[in-house]
C-alpha cells in the first residue's frame, strides 16, 4: 500500500471536498470588514472563519479595511476585536498610516499580543515606501523583530519593486513581506532577483496574476524560507490562492514552509509563546504526522 | 466522490506574454488529468491573437479524435470578408460541432452591439450555443443590452474579477440568459452569495487557462460551501445543458 505524502493528501482532501488535515496553513495576507469600493459578502470575522474552517486554514493575519482606509486607530481596534472573536484563528497586523502619527500607532499596539506584525499600504496612503515617515516602522521592526507586510505593485510610484531594494538595504534587520510580490507577472523575475540579494525580503504571493508556476519559480530561485502563502481575503476569495499553491508541484517540505512554516518562524521571533504558531514553525517538521 | 468538471473557458496554443501555456491538446489533457477535469471547450489562441479563421480551423483540427475536447470558435463581423457571412459561419460551426463561441471586441477592434455584428448574434442565438465574453472586452452595461436584445442567447461573462459584483448582480437579476464562470469570480464568498440569490444555474465551471491557473477554479468550486447538487450543476450540469442546445436557465 502506498502512503501518499502530505501534499498529495492535501490535494485528495480538496477533491473529496474535505478540509485540509496534515499540512498547517497560515494566510499571511488577509483583511476584514466592509469595504466601499466594491461589494464583499460575508466580510466579517464569521464569514472569514467559515472559509478557513471549510478549507482547513489554521491562522490568518488580518488588518481591517477601516484601518487601511479612514480610521487607523479605530480600525486597529476593530482588528483586535476580530482576533478576540476568532477564538485564536486570527492574528492582527497593525496598520500604520504615514500621515497619522505612525509612532503613536506603534506605541499603542506593539505590545498587544493580539498583533504579530505591521501592515503598510503606500499605494492607498499615497506615500512612497522609501519616505521618511515610515522610518519609525523600520526602526521598530529592526529592534523588535516583527514582520512588516507592505503592499507592492510593479510600476507604482509608491511601492515599485526597486524601492523595496532601497528599504531593505537601509534596514537589513527589518523583515519585510513584499505583499503581492509586485503582482505583475512580467516583473516577477526581478522580484526574485531582489529577494536573492536581500534575505530580509520575504515574498508574499497573493494576487490576481499569481499562478502555481510562478510560485514554484520563486521557491526554486529564492528558497521556500523566503516565500509565504497569502490570499488577500476577503478582498479575493481565499480558495483561489490555496488551489494554485497546492498544485504548484512543490516538494512537500517546501510546500509546508510556504503554506505555514516560513511565516510561523518569523512570527515566533516576536511572539515566541503564541500557541497558534508553535506547531507550525519547524519547517518540514511542520507537516503533521 | 468525483465531481464532474466541464471547463467552458480554456485556450490552447502560444501566448506572447507567458510561456506557461498548454501549447497543444496533449499538454492540455495532461493538465486536465491532474485536476480531474473531464471535458473542455477549447479555443485556439491563433483565433484570438493571430488569424481568427485559421485559429478556428486549428481548434477543430486539434480536438479531432479527442472525445473530452470540444472546439470553441471566435466570432468576428464579416465586414472585411475574414469570416463567411453569419449564416454560413454558423452553418460551418454546426457541422464541426462547435460547442461555444467567444467574442473579443476590444482586442479585435469592433462594436459588439453595432450593426456589423447584428446578423452574427442573431445566428448564434438561433444555433443555441453559449457566447463567452471576457469582462475586460465587454463592460457590464453592454452585457445588459446584449442579453436583452437576444434573450435566447446564453451570454457567459468570464474573468469577472473581484470588484464587479454590483453591476454583475444587476445584470444577472434582469436577464436569465446571463451566466458567469469561475475562472476568476474572485470576490470572497460571492459564489455562495450568487447561488443563494439566483440559484446554482447561473454559474459555469471555467478555468480561464492559460490566463489563469486552472487549479484556482477547481479549488474554488470543490471547497465551496455549496451542497453536492449545486456543485454538480456548476461543475458540469449547467454547461452540458447549454452545449446541447438547452434553453438558458
Amino acid at each position: 500500500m502506498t502512503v501518499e505524502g502530505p501534499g498529495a493528501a492535501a490535494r485528495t482532501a480538496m477533491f473529496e471536498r474535505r478540509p485540509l488535515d496534515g499540512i498547517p496553513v497560515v494566510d499571511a495576507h488577509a483583511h476584514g470588514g466592509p469595504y466601499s469600493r466594491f461589494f464583499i459578502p460575508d466580510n466579517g470575522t464569521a464569514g472569514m472563519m467559515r472559509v478557513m474552517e471549510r478549507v482547513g486554514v489554521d491562522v490568518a493575519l488580518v488588518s481591517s479595511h477601516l484601518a487601511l482606509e479612514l480610521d487607523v486607530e479605530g480600525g486597529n481596534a476593530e482588528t483586535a476585536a476580530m482576533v478576540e472573536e476568532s477564538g485564536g484563528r486570527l492574528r492582527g497586523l497593525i496598520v500604520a498610516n504615514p500621515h497619522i502619527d505612525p509612532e503613536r500607532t506603534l506605541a499603542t499596539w506593539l505590545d498587544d499580543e493580539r498583533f504579530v506584525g505591521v501592515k503598510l499600504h503606500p499605494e492607498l496612503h499615497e506615500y512612497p515606501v522609501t519616505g521618511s515617515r515610515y522610518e519609525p516602522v523600520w526602526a521598530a521592526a529592526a529592534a523588535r523583530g516583527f514582520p512588516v507586510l507592505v503592499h507592492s505593485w510593479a510600476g507604482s510610484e509608491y511601492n515599485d519593486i526597486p524601492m523595496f531594494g532601497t528599504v531593505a538595504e537601509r534596514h537589513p534587520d527589518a523583515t519585510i513581506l513584499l505583499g503581492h510580490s509586485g503582482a505583475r507577472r512580467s516583473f516577477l523575475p526581478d522580484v526574485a532577483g531582489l529577494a536573492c540579494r536581500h534575505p530580509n525580503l520575504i515574498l508574499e504571493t497573493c494576487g490576481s496574476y499569481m499562478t502555481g508556476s510562478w510560485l514554484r519559480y520563486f521557491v526554486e530561485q529564492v528558497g521556500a524560507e523566503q516565500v509565504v502563502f497569502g490570499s488577500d481575503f476577503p478582498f479575493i476569495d481565499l480558495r483561489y490562492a490555496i488551489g494554485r499553491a497546492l498544485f504548484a508541484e512543490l516538494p512537500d517540505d517546501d510546500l509546508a514552509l510556504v503554506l505555514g512554516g516560513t511565516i510561523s518562524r518569523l512570527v515566533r521571533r516576536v511572539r515566541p509563546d503564541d500557541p497558534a504558531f508553535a506547531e507550525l514553525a519547524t519547517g518540514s517538521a511542520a507537516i503533521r504526522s | 466522490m468525483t465531481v464532474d468538471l466541464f471547463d467552458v473557458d480554456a485556450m490552447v496554443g502560444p501566448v506572447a506574454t507567458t510561456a506557461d501555456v498548454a501549447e497543444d491538446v496533449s499538454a492540455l489533457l495532461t493538465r486536465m488529468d491532474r485536476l480531474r477535469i473531464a471535458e473542455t471547450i477549447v479555443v485556439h489562441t491563433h483565433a484570438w491573437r493571430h488569424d481568427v479563421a485559421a485559429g478556428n480551423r486549428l481548434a477543430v483540427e486539434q480536438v479531432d479524435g479527442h472525445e473530452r475536447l470540444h472546439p470553441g470558435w471566435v466570432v468576428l463581423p464579416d465586414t472585411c470578408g475574414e469570416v463567411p457571412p453569419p449564416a454560413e459561419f454558423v452553418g460551418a460551426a454546426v457541422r464541426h460541432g462547435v460547442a461555444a463561441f467567444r467574442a473579443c471586441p476590444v482586442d479585435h477592434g469592433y462594436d459588439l452591439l453595432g450593426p456589423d455584428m447584428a446578423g452574427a448574434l442573431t445566428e448564434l442565438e438561433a444555433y443555441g450555443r453559449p457566447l463567452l465574453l471576457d469582462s475586460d472586452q465587454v463592460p457590464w452595461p453592454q452585457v445588459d443590452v446584449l442579453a436583452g436584445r437576444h434573450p435566447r442567447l446564453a451570454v457567459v461573462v468570464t474573468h469577472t474579477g473581484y470588484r464587479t459584483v454590483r453591476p454583475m448582480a444587476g445584470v444577472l437579476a434582469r436577464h436569465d440568459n446571463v451566466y458567469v464562470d469561475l475562472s476568476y469570480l474572485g470576490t470572497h464568498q460571492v459564489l455562495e452569495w450568487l447561488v443563494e440569490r439566483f440559484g446554482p444555474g447561473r454559474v459555469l465551471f471555467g478555468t480561464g487557462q492559460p490566463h489563469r491557473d486552472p487549479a484556482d477554479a477547481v479549488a474554488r468550486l470543490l471547497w465551496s460551501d455549496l451542497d453536492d447538487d449545486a456543485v454538480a450543476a456548476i461543475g458540469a450540469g449547467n454547461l452540458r445543458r447549454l452545449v446541447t442546445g438547452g434553453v438558458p436557465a
Side-chain angles (χ1 to χ4, degrees):
Chain A
M1 174 182 162
T2 303
V3 177
E4 60 183 4
R11 292 184 285 275
T12 298
M14 184 203 73
F15 284 125
E16 295 179 351
R17 308 200 65 212
R18 291 184 285 107
L20 292 171
D21 180 21
I23 192 158
V25 181
V26 178
D27 185 340
H29 190 154
H31 299 290
Y35 199 60
S36 66
R37 296 171 192 255
F38 50 90
F39 173 69
I40 307 173
D42 283 338
N43 53 49
T45 305
M48 294 172 66
M49 296 285 293
R50 190 157 59 248
V51 174
M52 291 171 67
E53 286 165 10
R54 181 75 188 88
V55 176
V57 172
D58 297 86
V59 185
L61 311 188
V62 301
S63 53
S64 79
H65 297 139
L66 180 63
L68 286 166
E69 289 275 357
L70 283 187
D71 180 355
V72 66
E73 291 309 318
N76 284 327
E78 188 174 277
T79 300
M82 291 177 69
V83 174
E84 294 282 341
E85 196 183 345
S86 74
R89 300 288 288 275
L90 302 181
R91 290 293 183 274
L93 297 176
I94 304 160
V95 172
N97 184 324
H99 306 294
I100 307 174
D101 199 351
E103 276 182 288
R104 193 185 68 174
T105 298
L106 295 176
T108 302
W109 298 106
L110 261 188
D111 291 325
D112 187 320
E113 295 199 345
R114 291 171 293 188
F115 291 89
V116 299
V118 172
K119 164 76 178 183
L120 304 179
H121 206 308
E123 193 89 43
L124 272 181
H125 295 151
E126 299 183 9
Y127 186 79
V129 68
T130 49
S132 59
R133 291 180 185 176
Y134 283 132
E135 286 302 316
V137 174
W138 306 127
R144 303 278 295 269
F146 54 78
V148 182
L149 173 63
V150 192
H151 175 85
S152 70
W153 198 269
S156 161
E157 62 189 303
Y158 300 111
N159 33 234
D160 195 5
I161 298 308
M163 299 167 81
F164 286 89
T166 302
V167 176
E169 197 164 304
R170 281 184 199 158
H171 304 280
D173 295 326
T175 299
I176 303 163
L177 271 61
L178 202 61
H180 312 296
S181 294
R184 298 171 63 194
R185 288 178 187 163
S186 296
F187 298 87
L188 296 182
D190 295 342
V191 172
L194 195 70
C196 287
R197 293 193 294 278
H198 299 284
N200 57 327
L201 282 181
I202 309 297
L203 304 181
E204 185 280 315
T205 53
C206 71
S208 297
Y209 310 118
M210 183 54 66
T211 65
S213 298
W214 280 112
L215 188 58
R216 187 172 66 251
Y217 172 83
F218 277 169
V219 169
E220 289 169 352
Q221 296 296 312
V222 186
E225 296 81 2
Q226 265 179 270
V227 182
V228 301
F229 165 75
S231 76
D232 212 3
F233 94 125
F235 261 41
I236 303 173
D237 196 280
L238 181 152
R239 288 158 281 208
Y240 283 101
I242 194 83
R244 73 186 66 129
L246 290 180
F247 286 86
E249 300 184 49
L250 295 173
D252 280 352
D253 285 358
D254 286 341
L255 182 63
L257 285 168
V258 169
L259 289 181
T262 295
I263 188 65
S264 296
R265 285 176 176 174
L266 297 173
V267 170
R268 279 179 64 80
R269 293 192 319 208
V270 62
R271 299 283 184 249
D273 299 324
D274 189 329
F277 301 95
E279 186 187 2
L280 313 179
T282 51
S284 59
I287 299 171
R288 297 183 189 117
S289 57
Chain B
M1 69 178 283
T2 299
V3 175
D4 187 17
L5 298 176
F6 188 174
D7 184 356
V8 72
D9 180 11
M11 287 189 182
V12 68
V15 174
T17 53
T18 178
D20 187 17
V21 299
E23 286 276 0
D24 55 29
V25 295
S26 173
L28 178 65
L29 287 163
T30 300
R31 289 179 174 212
M32 289 167 60
D33 288 343
R34 197 159 155 269
L35 291 163
R36 304 186 187 177
I37 297 170
E39 295 180 63
T40 295
I41 297 174
V42 183
V43 167
H44 200 283
T45 57
H46 278 218
W48 168 47
R49 292 295 285 265
H50 177 53
D51 178 327
V52 170
N56 287 341
R57 284 194 296 275
L58 276 173
V60 171
E61 290 168 13
Q62 292 218 351
V63 306
D64 186 41
H66 298 280
E67 289 186 352
R68 297 166 62 194
L69 305 179
H70 312 275
W73 275 9
V74 173
V75 298
L76 269 186
D78 68 333
T79 47
C80 299
E82 298 163 281
V83 294
E88 194 179 326
F89 178 84
V90 172
V94 172
R95 286 195 303 281
H96 291 296
V98 172
F101 299 87
R102 177 174 281 285
C104 314
V106 171
D107 289 345
H108 294 162
Y110 64 85
D111 178 4
L112 183 68
L113 299 179
D116 296 335
M117 278 299 288
L121 292 169
T122 299
E123 291 291 337
L124 293 182
E125 185 178 18
Y127 179 31
R129 298 297 183 273
L131 176 65
L132 276 61
L133 308 168
D134 264 10
S135 59
D136 68 350
Q137 297 291 305
V138 183
W140 283 104
Q142 289 190 23
V143 175
D144 208 348
V145 173
L146 173 69
R149 282 186 193 168
H150 299 279
R152 305 287 293 178
L153 176 65
V155 177
V156 183
V157 183
T158 57
H159 303 234
T160 53
Y162 65 97
R163 293 173 177 260
T164 61
V165 181
R166 288 175 184 140
M168 177 200 306
V171 172
L172 288 171
R174 281 189 290 279
H175 303 290
D176 289 344
N177 57 322
V178 174
Y179 303 77
V180 292
D181 91 335
L182 277 179
S183 59
Y184 196 27
L185 190 62
T187 310
H188 167 75
Q189 284 283 68
V190 82
L191 170 61
E192 289 78 3
W193 186 85
L194 289 176
V195 169
E196 185 179 346
R197 205 173 172 102
F198 301 109
R202 308 294 293 282
V203 184
L204 306 178
F205 175 74
T207 63
Q209 58 179 314
H211 311 292
R212 306 281 315 170
D213 188 322
D216 289 17
V218 177
R220 180 64 187 92
L221 179 62
L222 298 190
W223 264 324
S224 69
D225 282 337
L226 303 175
D227 62 33
D228 289 345
D229 288 344
V231 169
I234 294 165
N238 296 335
L239 181 57
R240 286 195 201 292
R241 188 181 69 251
L242 293 177
V243 300
T244 52
V247 295

